[in-house]
Amino acid sequence: MARGLGKGIGALFPSETLESIQKDEHIEKIPLQKIVANPFQPRKKFDDEAIEELAQSIREHGIIQPIVVRKKGKKYEIVVGERRYRAAKLANLGEIPAIIKEMTEEQMMELAILENLQREDLTPIEEAEAYQSLIEKLNFTQDDLAKRLGKSRPHITNMIRLLQLPEEVRELVNEGKLSMGHGRALLGLKNKRQMIEVAKKVINQSLNVRQLEALIKQLNEKVSRETKQKPKKDIFVQATESQLREFFGTNVQIKKTKNKGKIEIEFYSEDDLERILEILNLNHEEL
């Protein structure tokens, strides 16, 4: 693990900014065909209109600030500057000015994520996925991230919780049809199977976050009433369910009949299923 990283660009280039790197580092012109995207790029969606505007500026004024790349075989991977790279392609340039830096994959991933986080224009889901990547691939804790990024621990926790939303709902947040506030409110639904249906209702009826919270309160009260009418499970089963929920990080139910029973483990996306399979030391190929 690459400890000592993580204060943004300054962690990799001490007491420097990209502007000073441009002055002090050797800049080469690299053919666009030799450049490939950053595999650790947290941004999944790029604003086509903004890229077109940047391309027009490049046609008129050229590229003022070089991108940063690292050599990988016969190609160059983008570390910082993917928007400029995309705009240069759109402007039909043959080459682009670049600074070549030597760095590990860990350094490259952290710099790519931090540079995007500092721009503050990632979608909430992209931001959450960036945090999760740093936690999983660089063994950071949420406390580590909070200190390195100047964020509060609750902010990091609340963002990562958005990844518990079903994939379809996460996509609606990515597209800007639902806000982060909507996503957080939806996580409060007791009946997780209702999430997609309720999310679509929010969009169709243009519900704000407070209206959504009121709707969820009504739906949860209905679930509570229905639950009270059902026969209570014995204390042993309830305690076991609680332990299993904590272990798997998702809803788990034990259902017993007279002669047999079953355990149901819920998941809300393919990623969530993969996570549960990893806990069980299984993967799709073994099933």
Side-chain angles (χ1 to χ4, degrees):
M1 186 187 77
R3 288 291 183 192
L5 299 175
K7 298 197 176 179
I9 293 167
L12 296 176
F13 314 120
S15 72
E16 294 180 349
T17 63
L18 283 181
E19 288 77 9
S20 64
I21 290 172
Q22 180 180 348
K23 295 176 184 176
D24 301 334
E25 295 282 350
H26 176 64
I27 300 172
E28 294 187 26
K29 290 192 174 181
I30 301 176
L32 288 178
Q33 63 189 24
K34 288 189 175 183
I35 296 175
V36 295
N38 186 334
F40 305 115
Q41 169 64 253
R43 189 182 307 279
K44 302 299 187 295
K45 293 184 178 295
F46 288 81
D47 187 329
D48 291 339
E49 186 175 339
I51 297 293
E52 174 56 49
E53 289 177 1
L54 182 56
Q56 183 57 37
S57 174
I58 287 172
R59 292 185 191 103
E60 294 178 10
H61 308 292
I63 296 178
I64 298 172
Q65 188 182 74
I67 65 173
V68 179
V69 299
R70 77 160 183 164
K71 193 128 182 350
K72 185 72 177 289
K74 295 182 179 180
K75 297 286 187 178
Y76 295 87
E77 290 180 337
I78 298 171
V79 179
V80 175
E82 187 155 343
R83 289 177 70 256
R84 274 165 281 162
Y85 163 72
R86 287 171 179 252
K89 286 180 67 177
L90 196 59
N92 293 317
L93 297 190
E95 55 188 17
I96 189 170
I99 297 166
I100 303 171
K101 300 293 291 187
E102 290 186 10
M103 59 184 68
T104 65
E105 287 198 346
E106 287 84 0
Q107 288 174 317
M108 181 179 178
M109 180 178 74
E110 187 178 5
L111 180 57
I113 290 173
L114 289 170
E115 194 265 344
N116 274 284
L117 288 172
Q118 288 169 356
R119 291 175 61 87
E120 295 184 345
D121 58 353
L122 293 178
T123 71
I125 298 300
E126 287 173 339
E127 183 178 344
E129 289 173 341
Y131 293 151
Q132 191 65 27
S133 290
L134 288 171
I135 287 171
E136 291 178 352
K137 296 180 180 177
L138 297 184
N139 295 326
F140 289 167
T141 66
Q142 291 188 15
D143 281 333
D144 289 336
L145 286 181
K147 291 173 185 175
R148 287 167 182 264
L149 300 175
K151 306 282 186 182
S152 70
R153 167 67 185 273
H155 173 81
I156 301 290
T157 301
N158 286 329
M159 295 303 297
I160 290 176
R161 284 187 67 235
L162 293 176
L163 300 181
Q164 297 174 19
L165 293 168
E167 185 175 354
E168 188 172 342
V169 178
R170 293 203 306 268
E171 188 58 29
L172 293 173
V173 176
N174 258 339
E175 293 171 357
K177 295 178 181 178
L178 294 175
S179 70
M180 178 179 69
H182 286 120
R184 288 178 59 184
L186 285 167
L187 289 169
L189 264 173
K190 288 183 178 179
N191 185 349
K192 305 303 182 185
R193 295 183 181 89
Q194 292 180 306
M195 275 192 185
I196 295 175
E197 177 188 346
V198 174
K200 290 178 178 177
K201 187 171 185 177
V202 169
I203 296 169
N204 293 335
Q205 298 184 12
S206 300
L207 301 181
N208 60 35
V209 175
R210 290 190 175 225
Q211 290 170 324
L212 172 58
E213 289 172 343
L215 173 61
I216 288 173
K217 183 179 179 182
Q218 292 176 2
L219 294 171
N220 285 345
E221 287 173 351
K222 182 180 178 182
V223 170
S224 296
R225 287 194 300 268
E226 291 173 350
T227 302
K228 286 179 182 178
Q229 294 170 3
K230 294 178 181 178
K232 288 187 177 180
K233 295 177 180 176
D234 64 50
I235 296 176
F236 171 76
V237 171
Q238 290 181 43
T240 304
E241 282 182 338
S242 179
Q243 289 178 315
L244 290 171
R245 287 189 195 109
E246 185 174 345
F247 180 75
F248 287 106
T250 189
N251 189 40
V252 178
Q253 292 190 57
I254 297 174
K255 298 184 178 181
K256 294 174 66 178
T257 59
K258 187 174 181 180
N259 298 316
K260 63 179 181 179
K262 62 181 177 180
I263 298 175
E264 292 184 355
I265 303 172
E266 292 186 3
F267 63 91
Y268 307 109
S269 66
E270 283 296 318
D271 290 341
D272 203 22
L273 174 59
E274 287 289 347
R275 179 184 64 81
I276 292 168
L277 291 175
E278 284 179 10
I279 292 172
L280 295 170
N281 290 322
L282 297 173
N283 57 51
H284 281 136
E285 286 74 17
E286 294 173 332
L287 297 180

